[in-house]
Amino acid sequence: MNIREFNEATDHDYEAGVAIWNANWPDYLETVEEWKAWHETRDKSLYYERFVGEIDGQVVCYGDWGESGWTLFPGKYNWDFYLHPDYDTASITDQIYDGLLEMIMAKEPTKITSGTRSDKPKRISFLEEKGYKLAQTEPTSLLDVTAFDRSAYQKSIDKAAAAGIEIYSCAQLKEIDPKWKHKLWELRWEIHQDVPSTDPPKPTPFEVYAKRLDDPVAVNLPSRFVAVDTTTATNGDNGEGDIGQYVALSNLDYNRVNKAKGHTGLTGVARAHRRKGIATAIKVHAISQAKADGIEIIDTDNDENNPMLALNVLLGFRPGPAWLAYELFIKEA
């Protein structure tokens, strides 16, 4: 096994890495274009490295490691790597991990994190044998969009509308609200702070977030939705008014390989606007749009103690395997 740095100069390593990822995660198929878009728009202030493993010149492993952009814990580094199924043996896994650990330890970390899913017993055993402890459980949920009945949630939709809530796609906001990026960034940060996590939340720099919003491969604006409180709208002088406060969001993205599948990421409501039916209304709006666009199934994941999990159950989502977050404190180790 030869472990080397990921080569950004050509598509070779991208294609090999995506193929290995898709072989390991057929539920979450990805493309070279998406990987490039993510890398181009990521927060460059965070330390990050990618690598591949070769046997006889063939790439059989893809991995990466670096600092987290989602949470803050000084000296924390997260890693991930996957092997082509034909080469997924204990000896090769140990060799890759040993090389990876050597690179991470050179940074004098305080904590090392990784993760897997509950239906991956081999990786779970590997992590626990290396001393990692389970820190967080996030069950996945799946919705049969073809059977979804919007009318069953009309009461919540009417309640939100009566409170002056109007739902827009990010594509619509881009056309009608000059302040949309900054307002969306501020809303995301407020919601982010209430998302259950093993470590304190960390804000994404506005410039990084805005750059992602400008990339149509990184973010699909037509399928991401924002609830606006129109009662706070202002006219202003010279027509420079404000359409209202952004109070909720639901990030829905469509899979670029499996055209029938969607994934819901961050969904939340600003603290002052909760218990008004807004979360249900914006989720129903997103699901209805997905159904109109030909999406047949949507998956999502939530911390086991997140109230959003209960809402998903009420909307018809059914439980799937759980994402598991593991951590290793170096001093304890």
PDB file of all heavy atoms in Angstrom, residues 157 159-167 226-231 245 247-248 273 276 278 281:
ATOM      1  N   ILE A 157     -50.302  24.707   8.231  1.00  0.00           N
ATOM      2  CA  ILE A 157     -50.049  25.621   7.115  1.00  0.00           C
ATOM      3  C   ILE A 157     -50.870  26.896   7.292  1.00  0.00           C
ATOM      4  O   ILE A 157     -50.360  28.017   7.138  1.00  0.00           O
ATOM      5  CB  ILE A 157     -50.392  24.937   5.774  1.00  0.00           C
ATOM      6  CG1 ILE A 157     -49.464  23.745   5.533  1.00  0.00           C
ATOM      7  CG2 ILE A 157     -50.300  25.939   4.623  1.00  0.00           C
ATOM      8  CD1 ILE A 157     -49.863  22.893   4.358  1.00  0.00           C
ATOM      9  N   LYS A 159     -52.122  28.053  10.122  1.00  0.00           N
ATOM     10  CA  LYS A 159     -51.669  28.752  11.330  1.00  0.00           C
ATOM     11  C   LYS A 159     -50.468  29.642  11.023  1.00  0.00           C
ATOM     12  O   LYS A 159     -50.405  30.798  11.459  1.00  0.00           O
ATOM     13  CB  LYS A 159     -51.306  27.733  12.409  1.00  0.00           C
ATOM     14  CG  LYS A 159     -50.871  28.347  13.725  1.00  0.00           C
ATOM     15  CD  LYS A 159     -50.554  27.257  14.745  1.00  0.00           C
ATOM     16  CE  LYS A 159     -50.098  27.859  16.083  1.00  0.00           C
ATOM     17  NZ  LYS A 159     -49.789  26.809  17.082  1.00  0.00           N
ATOM     18  N   ALA A 160     -49.517  29.102  10.263  1.00  0.00           N
ATOM     19  CA  ALA A 160     -48.339  29.886   9.894  1.00  0.00           C
ATOM     20  C   ALA A 160     -48.725  31.054   8.986  1.00  0.00           C
ATOM     21  O   ALA A 160     -48.238  32.179   9.156  1.00  0.00           O
ATOM     22  CB  ALA A 160     -47.314  28.990   9.211  1.00  0.00           C
ATOM     23  N   ALA A 161     -49.610  30.800   8.035  1.00  0.00           N
ATOM     24  CA  ALA A 161     -50.040  31.851   7.114  1.00  0.00           C
ATOM     25  C   ALA A 161     -50.767  32.968   7.861  1.00  0.00           C
ATOM     26  O   ALA A 161     -50.583  34.152   7.563  1.00  0.00           O
ATOM     27  CB  ALA A 161     -50.932  31.258   6.032  1.00  0.00           C
ATOM     28  N   ALA A 162     -51.585  32.592   8.848  1.00  0.00           N
ATOM     29  CA  ALA A 162     -52.322  33.582   9.636  1.00  0.00           C
ATOM     30  C   ALA A 162     -51.384  34.468  10.443  1.00  0.00           C
ATOM     31  O   ALA A 162     -51.725  35.610  10.782  1.00  0.00           O
ATOM     32  CB  ALA A 162     -53.306  32.873  10.563  1.00  0.00           C
ATOM     33  N   ALA A 163     -50.200  33.953  10.760  1.00  0.00           N
ATOM     34  CA  ALA A 163     -49.203  34.722  11.506  1.00  0.00           C
ATOM     35  C   ALA A 163     -48.342  35.587  10.585  1.00  0.00           C
ATOM     36  O   ALA A 163     -47.382  36.219  11.045  1.00  0.00           O
ATOM     37  CB  ALA A 163     -48.311  33.778  12.309  1.00  0.00           C
ATOM     38  N   GLY A 164     -48.687  35.605   9.296  1.00  0.00           N
ATOM     39  CA  GLY A 164     -47.959  36.441   8.352  1.00  0.00           C
ATOM     40  C   GLY A 164     -46.740  35.780   7.743  1.00  0.00           C
ATOM     41  O   GLY A 164     -45.875  36.460   7.177  1.00  0.00           O
ATOM     42  N   ILE A 165     -46.669  34.456   7.830  1.00  0.00           N
ATOM     43  CA  ILE A 165     -45.512  33.727   7.312  1.00  0.00           C
ATOM     44  C   ILE A 165     -45.716  33.386   5.842  1.00  0.00           C
ATOM     45  O   ILE A 165     -46.743  32.808   5.451  1.00  0.00           O
ATOM     46  CB  ILE A 165     -45.277  32.426   8.109  1.00  0.00           C
ATOM     47  CG1 ILE A 165     -45.035  32.746   9.580  1.00  0.00           C
ATOM     48  CG2 ILE A 165     -44.116  31.642   7.511  1.00  0.00           C
ATOM     49  CD1 ILE A 165     -43.837  33.643   9.840  1.00  0.00           C
ATOM     50  N   GLU A 166     -44.722  33.728   5.029  1.00  0.00           N
ATOM     51  CA  GLU A 166     -44.730  33.364   3.617  1.00  0.00           C
ATOM     52  C   GLU A 166     -43.445  32.605   3.314  1.00  0.00           C
ATOM     53  O   GLU A 166     -42.369  32.980   3.794  1.00  0.00           O
ATOM     54  CB  GLU A 166     -44.834  34.605   2.740  1.00  0.00           C
ATOM     55  CG  GLU A 166     -45.049  34.278   1.265  1.00  0.00           C
ATOM     56  CD  GLU A 166     -45.523  35.475   0.458  1.00  0.00           C
ATOM     57  OE1 GLU A 166     -45.942  36.482   1.063  1.00  0.00           O
ATOM     58  OE2 GLU A 166     -45.464  35.383  -0.788  1.00  0.00           O
ATOM     59  N   ILE A 167     -43.554  31.539   2.525  1.00  0.00           N
ATOM     60  CA  ILE A 167     -42.404  30.681   2.256  1.00  0.00           C
ATOM     61  C   ILE A 167     -41.899  30.916   0.835  1.00  0.00           C
ATOM     62  O   ILE A 167     -42.665  30.895  -0.131  1.00  0.00           O
ATOM     63  CB  ILE A 167     -42.773  29.200   2.467  1.00  0.00           C
ATOM     64  CG1 ILE A 167     -43.180  28.977   3.923  1.00  0.00           C
ATOM     65  CG2 ILE A 167     -41.585  28.293   2.103  1.00  0.00           C
ATOM     66  CD1 ILE A 167     -43.741  27.596   4.208  1.00  0.00           C
ATOM     67  N   VAL A 226     -37.108  29.177   2.720  1.00  0.00           N
ATOM     68  CA  VAL A 226     -37.018  30.098   3.849  1.00  0.00           C
ATOM     69  C   VAL A 226     -38.410  30.638   4.160  1.00  0.00           C
ATOM     70  O   VAL A 226     -39.154  31.018   3.250  1.00  0.00           O
ATOM     71  CB  VAL A 226     -36.068  31.273   3.534  1.00  0.00           C
ATOM     72  CG1 VAL A 226     -36.033  32.263   4.699  1.00  0.00           C
ATOM     73  CG2 VAL A 226     -34.669  30.761   3.225  1.00  0.00           C
ATOM     74  N   ALA A 227     -38.748  30.669   5.458  1.00  0.00           N
ATOM     75  CA  ALA A 227     -40.002  31.277   5.898  1.00  0.00           C
ATOM     76  C   ALA A 227     -39.727  32.720   6.291  1.00  0.00           C
ATOM     77  O   ALA A 227     -38.798  33.007   7.053  1.00  0.00           O
ATOM     78  CB  ALA A 227     -40.574  30.499   7.076  1.00  0.00           C
ATOM     79  N   VAL A 228     -40.526  33.633   5.767  1.00  0.00           N
ATOM     80  CA  VAL A 228     -40.347  35.061   6.009  1.00  0.00           C
ATOM     81  C   VAL A 228     -41.555  35.597   6.771  1.00  0.00           C
ATOM     82  O   VAL A 228     -42.703  35.331   6.406  1.00  0.00           O
ATOM     83  CB  VAL A 228     -40.190  35.830   4.673  1.00  0.00           C
ATOM     84  CG1 VAL A 228     -40.069  37.333   4.924  1.00  0.00           C
ATOM     85  CG2 VAL A 228     -38.979  35.308   3.907  1.00  0.00           C
ATOM     86  N   ASP A 229     -41.284  36.354   7.827  1.00  0.00           N
ATOM     87  CA  ASP A 229     -42.346  37.003   8.605  1.00  0.00           C
ATOM     88  C   ASP A 229     -42.684  38.330   7.921  1.00  0.00           C
ATOM     89  O   ASP A 229     -41.998  39.336   8.100  1.00  0.00           O
ATOM     90  CB  ASP A 229     -41.872  37.237  10.035  1.00  0.00           C
ATOM     91  CG  ASP A 229     -42.949  37.852  10.915  1.00  0.00           C
ATOM     92  OD1 ASP A 229     -44.030  38.184  10.393  1.00  0.00           O
ATOM     93  OD2 ASP A 229     -42.703  38.006  12.131  1.00  0.00           O
ATOM     94  N   THR A 230     -43.741  38.327   7.141  1.00  0.00           N
ATOM     95  CA  THR A 230     -44.098  39.511   6.356  1.00  0.00           C
ATOM     96  C   THR A 230     -44.633  40.648   7.218  1.00  0.00           C
ATOM     97  O   THR A 230     -44.713  41.788   6.751  1.00  0.00           O
ATOM     98  CB  THR A 230     -45.140  39.159   5.283  1.00  0.00           C
ATOM     99  OG1 THR A 230     -46.331  38.674   5.921  1.00  0.00           O
ATOM    100  CG2 THR A 230     -44.599  38.091   4.342  1.00  0.00           C
ATOM    101  N   THR A 231     -44.984  40.355   8.481  1.00  0.00           N
ATOM    102  CA  THR A 231     -45.462  41.423   9.367  1.00  0.00           C
ATOM    103  C   THR A 231     -44.340  42.383   9.747  1.00  0.00           C
ATOM    104  O   THR A 231     -44.605  43.469  10.269  1.00  0.00           O
ATOM    105  CB  THR A 231     -46.086  40.849  10.653  1.00  0.00           C
ATOM    106  OG1 THR A 231     -45.076  40.214  11.446  1.00  0.00           O
ATOM    107  CG2 THR A 231     -47.173  39.841  10.319  1.00  0.00           C
ATOM    108  N   GLN A 245     -38.419  39.645   8.118  1.00  0.00           N
ATOM    109  CA  GLN A 245     -37.418  38.857   8.840  1.00  0.00           C
ATOM    110  C   GLN A 245     -37.450  37.403   8.392  1.00  0.00           C
ATOM    111  O   GLN A 245     -38.509  36.808   8.253  1.00  0.00           O
ATOM    112  CB  GLN A 245     -37.676  38.943  10.338  1.00  0.00           C
ATOM    113  CG  GLN A 245     -36.692  38.167  11.200  1.00  0.00           C
ATOM    114  CD  GLN A 245     -37.072  38.181  12.674  1.00  0.00           C
ATOM    115  OE1 GLN A 245     -38.061  38.817  13.062  1.00  0.00           O
ATOM    116  NE2 GLN A 245     -36.301  37.487  13.500  1.00  0.00           N
ATOM    117  N   VAL A 247     -37.241  33.693   9.324  1.00  0.00           N
ATOM    118  CA  VAL A 247     -37.501  33.060  10.617  1.00  0.00           C
ATOM    119  C   VAL A 247     -37.375  31.541  10.610  1.00  0.00           C
ATOM    120  O   VAL A 247     -37.422  30.911  11.670  1.00  0.00           O
ATOM    121  CB  VAL A 247     -38.892  33.468  11.145  1.00  0.00           C
ATOM    122  CG1 VAL A 247     -38.956  34.978  11.341  1.00  0.00           C
ATOM    123  CG2 VAL A 247     -40.000  32.998  10.208  1.00  0.00           C
ATOM    124  N   ALA A 248     -37.229  30.918   9.457  1.00  0.00           N
ATOM    125  CA  ALA A 248     -37.070  29.465   9.398  1.00  0.00           C
ATOM    126  C   ALA A 248     -36.456  29.081   8.062  1.00  0.00           C
ATOM    127  O   ALA A 248     -36.582  29.810   7.070  1.00  0.00           O
ATOM    128  CB  ALA A 248     -38.413  28.750   9.572  1.00  0.00           C
ATOM    129  N   HIS A 273     -39.907  32.512  17.049  1.00  0.00           N
ATOM    130  CA  HIS A 273     -41.028  32.166  16.161  1.00  0.00           C
ATOM    131  C   HIS A 273     -41.432  30.697  16.258  1.00  0.00           C
ATOM    132  O   HIS A 273     -42.148  30.190  15.378  1.00  0.00           O
ATOM    133  CB  HIS A 273     -40.659  32.514  14.716  1.00  0.00           C
ATOM    134  CG  HIS A 273     -40.712  33.983  14.434  1.00  0.00           C
ATOM    135  ND1 HIS A 273     -39.744  34.850  14.867  1.00  0.00           N
ATOM    136  CD2 HIS A 273     -41.632  34.738  13.768  1.00  0.00           C
ATOM    137  CE1 HIS A 273     -40.042  36.079  14.476  1.00  0.00           C
ATOM    138  NE2 HIS A 273     -41.177  36.035  13.809  1.00  0.00           N
ATOM    139  N   LYS A 276     -45.493  28.014  16.283  1.00  0.00           N
ATOM    140  CA  LYS A 276     -46.473  28.701  15.438  1.00  0.00           C
ATOM    141  C   LYS A 276     -46.808  27.896  14.184  1.00  0.00           C
ATOM    142  O   LYS A 276     -47.405  28.418  13.253  1.00  0.00           O
ATOM    143  CB  LYS A 276     -45.947  30.087  15.043  1.00  0.00           C
ATOM    144  CG  LYS A 276     -45.729  31.036  16.211  1.00  0.00           C
ATOM    145  CD  LYS A 276     -45.223  32.391  15.739  1.00  0.00           C
ATOM    146  CE  LYS A 276     -45.003  33.344  16.907  1.00  0.00           C
ATOM    147  NZ  LYS A 276     -44.510  34.681  16.471  1.00  0.00           N
ATOM    148  N   ILE A 278     -44.679  26.845  12.051  1.00  0.00           N
ATOM    149  CA  ILE A 278     -43.800  27.216  10.940  1.00  0.00           C
ATOM    150  C   ILE A 278     -42.931  26.043  10.489  1.00  0.00           C
ATOM    151  O   ILE A 278     -42.722  25.836   9.283  1.00  0.00           O
ATOM    152  CB  ILE A 278     -42.928  28.423  11.326  1.00  0.00           C
ATOM    153  CG1 ILE A 278     -43.816  29.630  11.647  1.00  0.00           C
ATOM    154  CG2 ILE A 278     -41.964  28.771  10.198  1.00  0.00           C
ATOM    155  CD1 ILE A 278     -43.059  30.830  12.166  1.00  0.00           C
ATOM    156  N   ALA A 281     -45.028  23.797   8.440  1.00  0.00           N
ATOM    157  CA  ALA A 281     -45.399  24.443   7.176  1.00  0.00           C
ATOM    158  C   ALA A 281     -44.247  24.439   6.180  1.00  0.00           C
ATOM    159  O   ALA A 281     -44.439  24.132   4.992  1.00  0.00           O
ATOM    160  CB  ALA A 281     -45.862  25.874   7.446  1.00  0.00           C
TER     161      ALA A 281
END
